[in-house]
Amino acid sequence: MHMIFNDWSFCPGCRFPAKYSVFKMYVEKAKPVCPLCSHRIVDGTLSRVKDPKPHLTAYMQQFEDGSGDTETKEGEQEAEKPKPQ
């Protein structure tokens, strides 16, 4: 799903990013729970994030400093990084 800057939200339980308009519609029409963690979404707990830039920056930083999920399986070689030209 393509995230839109002014339609950004999080599950109040697992904090997984979600498109606010789609998540709200799902909660209202399908099930009042997060489809990822099954956390019950209570009226008023779902809201738009005013500025998602800090969240995006923190997410990207995980990969820049090596703390993201970039490990290889045992026996696999890491892909070479492209060389600057």
Side-chain angles (χ1 to χ4, degrees), residues 7 9 22 31 41 43 47 57 63 80 84:
D7 198 27
S9 186
V22 175
K31 295 180 181 178
I41 309 297
D43 287 340
S47 61
T57 302
F63 297 98
E80 275 190 46

Side-chain angles (χ1 to χ4, degrees), residues 37-65:
C37 72
S38 300
H39 177 82
R40 183 163 174 71
I41 309 297
V42 181
D43 287 340
T45 60
L46 191 61
S47 61
R48 281 191 173 92
V49 174
K50 291 179 182 178
D51 183 11
K53 282 183 184 178
H55 302 286
L56 293 169
T57 302
Y59 175 77
M60 295 306 294
Q61 186 64 40
Q62 293 176 29
F63 297 98
E64 290 172 7
D65 67 14

